[in-house]
Each structure stands twice: as structure tokens, then as C-alpha cells.
Amino acid sequence: MPRLRILAAALAVCLAPPQVDATPMGSLHCNNALGQANNLNQAVTVTGVVTVGTGTFASSWTEVYLQDPTGAINLYKNSPTTTFALGDSFTVVGTIIQYRGLTEISPTSWTRHASGAVQPEPTTLTCAQVAGQFGTDYCEPQESMLIRLERVSLDGRWPGGPMTLYDETGTCMLYIDWDTDVNELPGPMGNFDIVGVLKQYGAYAAPWINGYEIIPRSASDVVERPGPKLLAGPAFTQISPNDVVVTWTTDVPSSSKVDYGTTTDYEFGTVYDSSPVTEHLVTLTGLEPAIPYLARITSSDANGDLILAHRPFMGGSRSSGEILACFNKSVDPSVAIGEIAVGGSDLAAILIDRVNAAEHSIDVAIYSFDLAGPADALIAAHQRGVHIRFVTDYRSPTSPQVQRLINAGIRVIDDTYGALNNDAGEMHHKFWVFDHRYDDDPQNDWVLTGSWNVTQGGTYTDAQNIVLVQDEALAQIYTMEIDELWGSTGNVPDQAKSRFSHLKRNDTPKTLRVGGRDVRVYFGPSDQTMSTLTSRIYEATASAHFSILSFTRTDVEGALKNLYMNVPGPVRGVFDSGQSGQTIYQQMKGVGGDAPWNPAADVWLDQEPGFNHHKYMILDAHRIDGRPTVITGSSNWSNSADESNDENMIYIEDFNLANLFYQEFAARYHAAGGSQDLSASTPELAGFQSSPVRIFPNPIRERVHLRLPSPGRGAIELTLHDAAGRRIAARRIESPAAPEISWEIDAISSGIYFLRIESPGRTERRVLTIVR
């Protein structure tokens, strides 16, 4: 007998008395094109078995799930009503309501018929079916039903917030309710099956056609499969224009296999090594520069397989990788190590110069735009034939300058464009892509991003930062974001395919190399930006310095607190003055909230005119032997930034850039009232400035001189490393007789480098600046 008929028969026995005219639950999940329930506010009667009981997901209100042979429904009431136990059969009378897309019943009466009914067998779905639950008929056939996903893998910090699940068909979302014991499990390290209810958690306002996730009910709903477990990775490293190395670590020796291509057919082929190893390294060759790919990674042993499917990556770049950082407020050069940061910049003039230099294309995603000079430059670029796509927030088209663009013939769309986009969140991006489309020259592709809105106050009053990056791969990633908002890759937008906010997909490569630096890019809300930020903070080993407009996320605060309590370096921050009454600031300052920090962190409210509009964090700013990282972009650390706004965050691992931002931070910190001498508060650099070895000059052009305290006592090994830690030059000197030696360093570009000096019984490191 088919499974559905068995279930129907079992339910019929359990629910025989009394006879009721129940509405099939499956019929309650059809909607209009925007995902609004057809039967909203109508009275219904349903009969089914409890699949999620009282107290599973909430204890202070009723949130339980009933299922019948046709579908399932959530029962929601503000206060506890009765106990709905797992396996109870009920008839419930109530009214159809909807919350963030999830169709629910607000119960007015209910009747328990029996206990211990047969639990429905979970419906097996794929990630693609979960993510694409909203059908072409506008129905959601499995919403609220008990479902099963098989052989999935995980990406994200378990159990910290939404996580991405991968299977052969794509990705979908997992959410772990903190009221369950699932969050007490260690994160699955291999492939696993998972059972739970299919819930929708979309935007606060329609359209409600996505936001689907699986929520397990208990630890028993998560079952790991046999086979190798993933201890680390996968990571895409040694990225070059035509090759990428994939690395991962398993708990037991197993084979290594990677299928790859531009689609899920993985049409480029397979690289396979049957040798059983735990440290896996596979080189993928024949790639095109700056092109997105997908990989399926497999390790197998006698017990089973580990399959990591649908992992996006990107071929490398042929560009220079030049990065420029500019700040419109002052900087503090006294804390500089090498290059002096550019403070007091006219950001509008910098943008106008870049627009004027564009020859082929300009793609813009900007929250607010109201400066005549940049508008003039864009109109002139349009008139000389540059292809321009301009995306903004729906509020911005009322700006006179945006209207000027429209009147000049430049195509402009906002986050209400198309039938499905309805300003679910703010189109909060602030980025520009120059000369990536309609041109194959890798040396003229630029990306400009940061915190800056192109307005009078945003430019000349508020504190802002921008970074400009010359890199074709980075330009491709940001172009993919524009393509999704625009609905097409061409100059004409497509209303049917335009996707903002929750409608976007998590499908862009995240990792690339820019001029030898590791760079990561995330877009909100599809990429769970706050989860990635929290995870990166947990990886820090020394310090965090931040400057932020809005900071309300407790998970980010928790990660910073963990860093503060467990490492010797500081956690310092400058908040916008508007955050004075907010919980995060008060807790970090040690003066309020539920869990004030003790001792308090060195955090301050800005005292300068305008907003402290920054959204940056510097991790391990002076950790030369680690991963000094700058995180910046459009995203505040807030729920709306994570859950509904269109945002971008870029992570750049680079000692020099970290120090440039550190100079800006020092100026904001002292202007806000901070009193620490930041130039002296660098324990990560201990030993660099006080040493018997003297190096001069510094900066250098061609030759560095070293004065040694004890010549003739053994060989001296000199190695020069770039900011990413790669060794780029070396020299060995056998027992130098003179106290002074010199080393001619040629064919090395300008920048910050680290000189390692090894002599008998001693190893030292120094910062060395090369200026050409």
C-alpha cells in the first residue's frame, strides 16, 4: 500500500470521533503572486496529528504544527493555551493569519481526540525544492510539513543563526531554534540527513515567495552518515588566472576527487587521486580568468563518502590588484607603520575622476545619491557611449540628481522594480564597478566600495571610508550582484527576473586573490553576512578595532566578548553618538544592558559633527605572522542588514591596508575621547622596534643595510616576506666579518614587507618599506 494511504488510514482510525468537516491543510497554502494567502482572515477547521508540540520551539506562546495526509499548518497564539503533545490528534477551529510569509491558524477552539497517533513519514525533498517551494501556481505544497533532506553538508557556524545546507541540487537554509536540544549537538562534520518542519521566514512585508528553511525539532532529527568527516575546508587557494588549488582535511585517510565546471553538470571534468590521505590537495587547471565555477568535492573510504556539492569558486585575475583606501576625515600618522593613510579626501572628486576615466561600462548600486558633480560626470559618460546601469533605493529617485540621470536617458531601477520586488528591505549598497562589461582588458576593471553615500552630508560632514580595487575577478563578483538586481546581464533590466532582498540567491564565489591578498566578498541578505562576520571574529588571535554607525547584533557582540576575554590584545570601538542608549554600546561600556562587560571595553561615542557612518572592523591589525584583516562595506551590524537589506561586505587580508584603517581609527578614537596611546599598544609587534640589529634606511629604494651586534658568530639567513606571508626573496651570509652588511633588493614592487633575520640563537622580524 502506498505510504500516503497508510498514513491516511492511520489518521482515520485516530481521528474517527467525532466526525467533522475539516479543511484539507494542503489547500491552505495557495497564494497570490506576491505570496499573500488566498484565504487570509477566513475561519477554518482542520484535523491532524501534532508533529511539533508545545514548548518545542517556544514556551511563552503557542507555536505547534499539525499535519494531515494533504499538508500541515502552524498554530500560533500569543499565550499558551493547552498542551499539544507530539502524536496527539486534534481538531482545531481558527482564523487564517500570516507572518513573514508563513500561513498559520490563530486557534479559537480545539478538541483533543487521542494520543500516540502514528507520526507522518517525513517527505524527502532536495535543497532546490526547499529553496524553490513557491511554485508557478503560487502554492507552497510542503510548507509546515515534516520533511527530510538527505546527504547534505553544512556551511556556517553551528549553531549560530541561519546556516547554508548544500546538496547536489543547490543550497537551502537551516535554522536551529534555541529552545531545542539541537543547539547542544556538535556540528555535523560529514554528510548527514536532517528531519524538520519546512518553515517560511521571509521579509516583514510581501512579496513572500522565498525565505524557506528547515527547522529540526530535536537532536534525533540530525543523523550523520558513515564516511569521512570534514575537519577543515574546503578552501580555494593558490588562485591564479588558470589554476585553483582545492584543499580540505578529513578525519581518516580517504580518496580525493573534485568535479568542476560552470554548471552542476561539472562539464570541465574530474580530478581524482585514489591515495588515502587526510590532507587533501587537488589542482584544477584549464580555468578562464575571473570566471565563476562550481565544484563537487568527494572523499571516500570503506565506510562511505563525504560529498561537498555545489561549491562556488572563481578563476584568478590578470589585474594589478592595486588597492587604494581613502578617508574623508583626518587620520593619525603617528601610528603609521610604513605608508601614511590618505585623510581629508574629497570623495566626490575621486569618484568623478573614476567616472571620467571609464570607457565601456559603469554599474552602480547606491542607497542615496544627490550630488551634482557625480551626476554631471555620469551624464557625460552616458553621452560618450559608456553603458550605465544604475540601481538605487526606492526613496532615491525623488532626488533631483537621480531624476537628472533618468531625464538624460540613463536607465535607473530601484527595489520596487518588477512585480515581485516590494521594498522588502533597503537597497543599502554603496558600490561602483567600472569597465568590466563590454571590455576584455583586465587592467581597467575597478571596484569602489565602502560606507559612502553620494550626498552632501555623506560626503562633507559624515565620517566615511572607501576602497578602490583594480581587479577583474572582484569586478566580476560585484557585477553578478548587479545582474541579479537588474534581472539581466545586459543594459535592459528584466522585471520578471529582477531580484532584491530575500529574492536573491547565495550563488556568488566568496574567495579570491587580489594582488596576492586573500579577499572575501559577501552580499546580504542571501549570504548571512552577520554569521560570516561572527565566524571571522572568532578566528582572530589578537585584537579588534571598529568604527560603526549602527551595532545591535548580539552575536557579533558575543564574538567580540569572546575575543576580549581570551586574547592579550584589545577590543576598541567608536560608536555613532546615536548609539548611546543602545544595548550593545552600554554593555560593552559596562554601564547597562543585561550583561555589562567587566572590565569594560575601550569603546566611545563619536563627538564630531555628522554621523560616524563607518562600518569597518580591523582584526589583528599588527599581527604580522597572522591574518591582519580589514572588513568594510555598506553593512551595519544589525538585524535589518542581515535579514532584509541589500548589503555588501568585503574582507581584505593585508597588513598595509589594516594599518591605513588603523590610522583612521586612531583619529576617530581620540576625537571621541579615547586616551590610550595606540602607537604603543601593539603587543603583536613586540621585538620589532627594540633589537640589537639595526636596519637602515627604512623606507628603502634598492638596498637595505643591517648592523649586527656580534659579527662572525655563524651564518645569517635573511628572508623577505610580503604582507600575505609569502617568501619572495632570501639571502644567506656565511659568518660575516664586518658589523655591517647590505642586501640589494631589486625587482620587488613598492609596499610593506617583513624581513626575517635568523642568526645563531636568535630570530628577529622587522617591518621594511620599499618605495620605488
Side-chain angles (χ1 to χ4, degrees), residues 3 13 27 98 107 114 218 361 373 438 556 641 658 702 736 750 756 763:
R3 180 177 295 168
V13 171
S27 68
Q98 209 167 15
S218 66
S361 66
Y438 304 105
V556 178
E702 297 178 352
S750 300
R756 182 182 176 93
T763 299

Side-chain angles (χ1 to χ4, degrees), residues 462-483:
D462 303 339
Q464 308 278 13
N465 71 87
I466 61 171
V467 292
L468 296 97
V469 185
Q470 200 285 297
D471 189 81
E472 62 174 339
L474 186 69
Q476 172 62 26
I477 290 176
Y478 276 89
T479 297
M480 292 173 70
E481 175 73 359
I482 287 280
D483 290 345

Side-chain angles (χ1 to χ4, degrees), residues 155-156 162-164 166 171 173 312 429 477 481 484 501-502 504-510 520-533 641-643 645 647-649 651:
D155 185 26
M163 289 160 280
T164 300
Y166 294 82
T171 64
M173 298 309 301
H429 280 311
I477 290 176
E481 175 73 359
E484 195 163 19
S501 187
H502 286 83
K504 294 189 305 186
R505 301 172 179 88
N506 180 0
D507 57 3
T508 53
K510 306 297 186 290
R520 288 181 172 265
V521 180
Y522 301 95
F523 296 107
S526 57
D527 296 359
Q528 296 85 58
T529 52
M530 292 303 102
S531 177
T532 60
L533 175 61
D642 188 60
E643 298 176 3
N645 292 352
E647 306 277 10
N648 73 95
M649 297 179 72
Y651 298 49

Side-chain angles (χ1 to χ4, degrees), residues 197-213:
V197 292
L198 196 164
K199 183 176 181 179
Q200 186 176 16
Y201 191 74
Y204 284 106
W208 292 313
I209 65 173
N210 60 0
Y212 301 99
E213 56 194 14

Side-chain angles (χ1 to χ4, degrees), residues 270-285:
T270 299
V271 180
Y272 177 67
D273 186 347
S274 62
S275 305
V277 296
T278 57
E279 299 293 334
H280 303 265
L281 187 152
V282 172
T283 301
L284 308 181
T285 60

Side-chain angles (χ1 to χ4, degrees), residues 166-185:
Y166 294 82
D167 70 6
E168 292 281 3
T169 68
T171 64
C172 57
M173 298 309 301
L174 162 68
Y175 181 78
I176 296 176
D177 192 289
W178 287 96
D179 290 294
T180 69
D181 62 353
V182 183
N183 68 84
E184 299 173 5
L185 290 175

